[in-house]
Amino acid sequence: MYEEQLFVVTPNAVSVYDTAGRLLNNFPVASQVRDMVVRDRQIWLLYPSRIESYTLQGELIREWDACSELSDYCSMAVTSGSVFVTDVAMKNICQYTEEGNFVRFIQSPNGFIIPSYSFGIESMGETIYCSNSGCHLVESYSIDGEYIGAFGQPGGAPGLFAGCCNPVHLSGSPNGELITSEKGNPRISCYTPDGQFRSVLLDKKLLGGGKAAYEVRMKDDKMYVAGNGMVSVFRFDPLLAASSACSGCGVTCPLRKGITI
């Protein structure tokens, strides 16, 4: 979501919808887009070995190739002045300026173990979060590439990461919580920025089943979830949420709108 519009990338196109699902605009792009970020009135697209940026109307601003011929990019985060991409092949994070100049490689002190394309990354304020999925960890770094810390343990219970490589996707909530999305037994969960588990927001049944991880973005009191060939919009019903883990959460959160403890 950006400026009350929903940006969706599909094979060979970026489409823009209003909040009611009406198509407003679309423009063609190359195939194999791995990730998209919309920020500061620019659309950023990540390919296996290339990065592009466009205006909101679909005009190409700039593009550049990966700094290594062996790179296989997976996910992207954009901050004010920097672009961070995760590299499945080289097992690192690559930082560029917005103009495409290489800045640094970021290595994990735990060693990035990425068995599959489960190498999510997200920026929240001055912190970069990424999934070290083979270790069942979410790691955090400063925008200068300094390691801050990590959280996560293997397991199927709420608050743990199951399977061989979870979490897959990361995103931020409107009030600064960290949202994780897992595959295998898909679920979307909420954590504090320092890794304290809050609750499971959506489980496999509510998401619609399958085994793939769902992409999620939050705006005000709504969650926009992409998966199974569609975008679903969730708004927690106060009566249902009052009987869920949301009722016991003391955080001021848009999802708890109308809920009283």
Side-chain angles (χ1 to χ4, degrees):
M1 286 293 296
Y2 183 78
E3 295 185 347
E4 303 305 319
Q5 295 180 341
L6 182 63
F7 291 77
V8 178
V9 61
T10 56
N12 303 111
V14 170
S15 300
V16 186
Y17 299 87
D18 65 15
T19 53
R22 292 182 289 261
L23 182 65
L24 302 176
N25 183 32
N26 66 354
F27 60 91
V29 296
S31 60
Q32 289 190 301
V33 176
R34 292 277 172 82
D35 201 3
M36 176 176 64
V37 174
V38 184
R39 178 191 168 104
D40 298 333
R41 302 194 64 78
Q42 289 187 61
I43 302 170
W44 297 86
L45 298 181
L46 180 70
Y47 295 87
S49 60
R50 190 173 79 259
I51 298 169
E52 298 176 344
S53 71
Y54 293 82
T55 66
L56 296 181
Q57 293 71 41
E59 298 174 354
L60 182 66
I61 298 173
R62 67 178 62 89
E63 61 181 323
W64 67 88
D65 292 328
C67 56
S68 170
E69 294 182 354
L70 301 177
S71 289
D72 190 5
Y73 289 157
C74 181
S75 300
M76 170 172 54
V78 180
T79 66
S80 179
S82 293
V83 177
F84 296 85
V85 296
T86 58
D87 191 332
V88 173
M90 306 306 292
K91 303 295 189 294
N92 61 27
I93 300 170
C94 185
Q95 181 179 358
Y96 297 95
T97 66
E98 286 188 346
E99 292 72 34
N101 299 314
F102 171 75
V103 177
R104 62 173 61 88
F105 293 118
I106 300 173
Q107 309 285 348
S108 168
N110 304 305
F112 284 125
I113 300 176
I114 313 296
S116 63
Y117 288 91
S118 304
F119 203 176
I121 191 168
E122 176 72 309
S123 63
M124 292 174 58
E126 297 295 300
T127 304
I128 302 298
Y129 294 88
C130 74
S131 59
N132 190 346
S133 58
C135 296
H136 301 97
L137 293 174
V138 175
E139 300 184 354
S140 56
Y141 297 83
S142 73
I143 56 175
D144 296 320
E146 296 296 323
Y147 178 75
I148 298 173
F151 70 88
Q153 296 181 55
L160 306 179
F161 299 126
C164 70
C165 36
N166 270 314
V168 178
H169 304 302
L170 305 174
S171 63
S173 76
N175 62 308
E177 307 292 290
L178 186 67
I179 309 301
T180 65
S181 180
E182 299 172 61
K183 67 177 182 178
N185 183 19
R187 62 184 175 186
I188 293 171
S189 303
C190 179
Y191 296 81
T192 65
D194 61 356
Q196 297 180 49
F197 174 66
R198 293 291 190 198
S199 64
V200 174
L201 301 178
L202 295 170
D203 60 17
K204 182 176 182 177
K205 181 179 179 181
L206 290 171
L207 286 167
K211 295 186 178 297
Y214 290 72
E215 290 264 17
V216 59
R217 294 291 184 270
M218 298 180 67
K219 174 71 173 177
D220 300 326
D221 62 342
K222 300 184 185 68
M223 285 190 292
Y224 297 82
V225 178
N228 285 339
M230 68 180 70
V231 176
S232 301
V233 184
F234 293 85
R235 173 188 279 163
F236 274 32
D237 182 292
L239 293 178
L240 294 176
S243 63
S244 73
C246 279
S247 64
C249 180
V251 176
T252 301
C253 171
L255 291 181
R256 299 180 69 249
K257 185 177 180 180
I259 301 173
T260 57
I261 298 176

